[in-house]
Amino acid sequence: MTDTQQRITHWIGGRPWTGTPERTGEVFDPATGAVTARVDLASADTVDEAVASARDAFTGWRRTSLSKRVTVLFEFRRLLAERAGEVAAAITAEHGKVLDDAAGEVQRGLEVVEFACGIPHLLKGGHTPGVSTGVDVHALRQPLGVTAVISPFNFPAMVPLWFVPVAIACGNSVILKPSEKDPSASLLLARLWSEAGLPDGVFTVLHGDKTAVDGLLTHPDVAAVSFVGSTPVARYVYETASAHGKRVQALGGAKNHMVVLPDADLDLAADAAVNAGFGSAGERCMAISALVAVEPVGDALVAKIAERVAGLRVGDGRRGCDMGPLVTAAHRDRVAGYVDAGVAAGAELVADGRKHPVDGEAGGFWLGPTLFDRVTPDMSVYTDEIFGPVLSVLRAASFDEALDLVNASPYGNGTAIFTNDGGAARRFEEEVEAGMVGINVPIPVPVSSYSFGGWKDSLFGDTHAYGPDGVHFFTRTKAVTTRWPDPRDRGIDLGFPQNR
């Protein structure tokens, strides 16, 4: 590690970890290609240390009053809003997304914090008096214990904020394992939690790779795991953690379709396709990567999209550009390989991101917006989750053909339809097989009072993120039956109990 490279370490017990790492990883500035830091990668012993700290902290936090928890949450919310620019800058420096996009990520995370501030209402149980003679029943929601959150590189602040505030509000302790590609935002969140008054150990940041992940998935003192990432890893997380008796919500990959009907406003649809296809360089699980044009609008729509793509400014996210670099050189090369594959398969390359002008240093991990037309369902640019700035346009002859195409996908994360026909929109929302649906909304991420999650291979487990599902996931219900007999009714009665 050179003098100019920062050391990024774990946050355990309310402070930076002081141990000596066995292994470290490189952290890059994607806009320059330079290594800016080295991040400590947890060993099995470090995982045990983190879990022990979180387990000890849970004992006291679970007994903390809701009013005190809410005080901490409100203060965290205030601090995060105040320091949002600092968090956004850290995201841009390590992920590469433009500053406006990073600021929007923090804002969406703040919405979940605000939802969690309502935890006294959200944790209300039920009470039924007199279910039988002198018998009452009430229900309690209680925390699980130590919970693990394994988050992806593409939203280093927002995805942790989908889970952590709700888990903490419910009385759990949380270990966050962020992506080792952009770890700094997680440490900023840790410091804000500490400044907000959260007791030491209730929130832990554990950096690492598969060693850390497997340690959390199999540790006997971890009660639940929340994960967001690719479908193969989500399946592995679900199967491994479930086999070790843990509650699991594992959100996987996506191939999100946007259907454009002939009656749609094509300018609105073209704007939406560009925004949803190329925002954050396509590194979003809710990005639109497949656009289904219902004829006869295909030619006109592709022309409008191509015109907008040509005007996008690609470059350093700190320079006011529209789109930044990809997160690593390896990922950039992988996405570029799909562009090569699309050309080889016979798709029409309308806009070639490999040749798009760049306002940035030559060493950056650049790939501009790429537009394919006349893609067919057997091509890899359609079947695979590329996770980059590649938009594929398919043609359909009818609404029914377009709907069948969407529903044939193994993924079911999000989808959208653009139309001015209310009947068509209603039928689409009823029949499409996806967990999140947009009507003239290209990225239908639910607000914090609803829950985020897909269907099919986009979700393993049956519980979505944040909102009501989040409270359900991070608590377990206990039913208590109470009998206070009337002194006048005392005596022996050997008959079978009856409701009277």
Side-chain angles (χ1 to χ4, degrees):
M1 185 167 64
T2 68
D3 292 339
T4 60
Q5 290 176 4
Q6 174 191 5
R7 178 191 174 189
I8 300 172
T9 192
H10 319 292
W11 182 273
I12 300 175
R15 58 192 60 84
W17 186 65
T18 57
T20 301
E22 296 178 2
R23 299 176 301 123
T24 63
E26 294 178 329
V27 179
F28 293 88
D29 179 344
T32 66
V35 177
T36 57
R38 297 199 72 88
V39 58
D40 294 347
L41 303 177
S43 65
D45 288 342
T46 312
V47 174
D48 288 341
E49 182 182 346
V51 174
S53 172
R55 182 190 61 221
D56 292 345
F58 168 68
T59 302
W61 183 243
R62 70 173 301 177
R63 296 191 177 98
T64 302
S65 69
L66 286 176
S67 59
K68 174 60 178 175
R69 292 185 213 166
V70 169
T71 299
V72 173
L73 284 160
F74 269 107
E75 181 62 7
F76 176 76
R77 188 254 172 227
R78 184 190 71 79
L79 291 169
L80 182 56
E82 187 178 272
R83 309 262 282 278
E86 183 181 349
V87 179
I91 295 169
T92 295
E94 294 179 350
H95 174 274
K97 66 178 65 176
V98 300
L99 273 172
D100 283 350
D101 194 24
E105 169 182 346
V106 177
Q107 180 58 45
R108 291 306 298 266
L110 264 170
E111 293 175 10
V112 180
V113 180
E114 292 162 356
F115 170 80
C117 287
I119 198 64
H121 172 73
L122 299 169
L123 285 184
K124 284 181 180 178
H127 180 243
T128 306
V131 295
S132 186
T133 305
V135 177
D136 305 331
V137 178
H138 67 277
L140 308 175
R141 282 197 173 274
Q142 296 185 318
L144 305 176
V146 178
T147 62
V149 175
I150 303 169
S151 63
F153 72 83
N154 60 322
F155 286 104
M158 186 183 74
V159 169
L161 290 170
W162 281 357
F163 303 103
V164 174
V166 179
I168 286 176
C170 290
N172 302 280
S173 59
V174 182
I175 298 174
L176 170 63
K177 208 300 288 183
S179 170
E180 65 275 21
K181 296 180 178 68
D182 45 11
S184 292
S186 62
L187 293 176
L188 289 173
L189 296 180
R191 294 185 182 278
L192 296 182
W193 278 116
S194 182
E195 290 179 36
L198 189 70
D200 294 347
V202 175
F203 180 62
T204 298
V205 177
L206 184 73
H207 299 294
D209 51 15
K210 191 174 186 298
T211 299
V213 170
D214 286 345
L216 294 171
L217 298 183
T218 60
H219 201 290
D221 290 332
V222 174
V225 177
S226 301
F227 171 85
V228 177
S230 68
T231 286
V233 181
R235 182 182 285 110
Y236 171 80
V237 167
Y238 178 75
E239 292 174 350
T240 305
S242 296
H244 285 81
K246 306 187 191 314
R247 181 176 290 188
V248 190
Q249 51 181 175
L251 283 66
K255 196 70 181 182
N256 302 314
H257 295 72
M258 173 176 155
V259 175
V260 181
L261 297 188
D263 67 294
D265 181 327
L266 294 189
D267 286 307
L268 175 67
D271 288 342
V274 172
N275 294 338
F278 304 119
S280 195
E283 294 173 327
R284 293 173 175 162
C285 67
M286 288 295 285
I288 292 297
S289 55
L291 189 153
V292 184
V294 178
E295 297 294 23
V297 301
D299 289 346
L301 182 58
V302 169
K304 288 178 180 292
I305 294 173
E307 179 184 3
R308 288 158 171 78
V309 166
L312 292 180
R313 183 180 169 203
V314 176
D316 192 317
R318 294 158 291 209
R319 297 181 183 176
C321 295
D322 299 308
M323 194 184 97
L326 275 73
V327 68
T328 64
H331 185 55
R332 184 268 317 278
D333 293 345
R334 174 183 174 275
V335 176
Y338 275 102
V339 180
D340 297 338
V343 172
E348 180 183 333
L349 184 59
V350 179
D352 188 348
R354 300 167 299 184
K355 300 177 181 178
H356 197 96
V358 172
D359 180 10
E361 296 187 25
F365 309 141
W366 308 111
L367 182 66
T370 297
L371 176 64
F372 280 111
D373 190 15
R374 302 192 182 278
V375 172
T376 56
D378 59 318
M379 296 178 180
S380 64
V381 290
Y382 174 73
T383 59
D384 297 359
E385 184 185 31
I386 298 174
F387 222 65
V390 179
L391 178 62
S392 297
V393 178
L394 297 88
R395 307 293 185 102
S398 65
F399 173 96
D400 287 326
E401 184 180 327
L403 181 62
D404 289 344
L405 184 65
V406 177
N407 286 345
S409 172
Y411 300 107
N413 204 44
T415 187
I417 186 169
F418 276 70
T419 181
N420 287 313
D421 185 335
R426 184 179 183 86
R427 183 181 166 204
F428 187 80
E429 70 176 74
E430 287 285 341
E431 298 183 15
V432 74
E433 296 174 8
M436 294 169 284
V437 181
I439 309 297
N440 298 319
V441 174
I443 304 179
V445 175
V447 295
S448 61
S449 54
Y450 284 77
S451 297
F452 178 104
W455 290 7
K456 300 192 283 189
D457 282 356
S458 294
L459 178 71
F460 297 87
D462 58 1
T463 308
H464 291 182
Y466 64 79
D469 275 19
V471 176
H472 173 78
F473 181 80
F474 287 114
T475 57
R476 52 186 175 180
T477 303
K478 180 182 291 182
V480 181
T481 303
T482 306
R483 182 168 182 258
W484 299 107
D486 190 314
R488 297 171 296 180
D489 296 335
R490 289 178 179 169
I492 301 297
D493 183 354
L494 302 184
F496 195 84
Q498 300 181 47
N499 293 331
R500 297 188 176 93

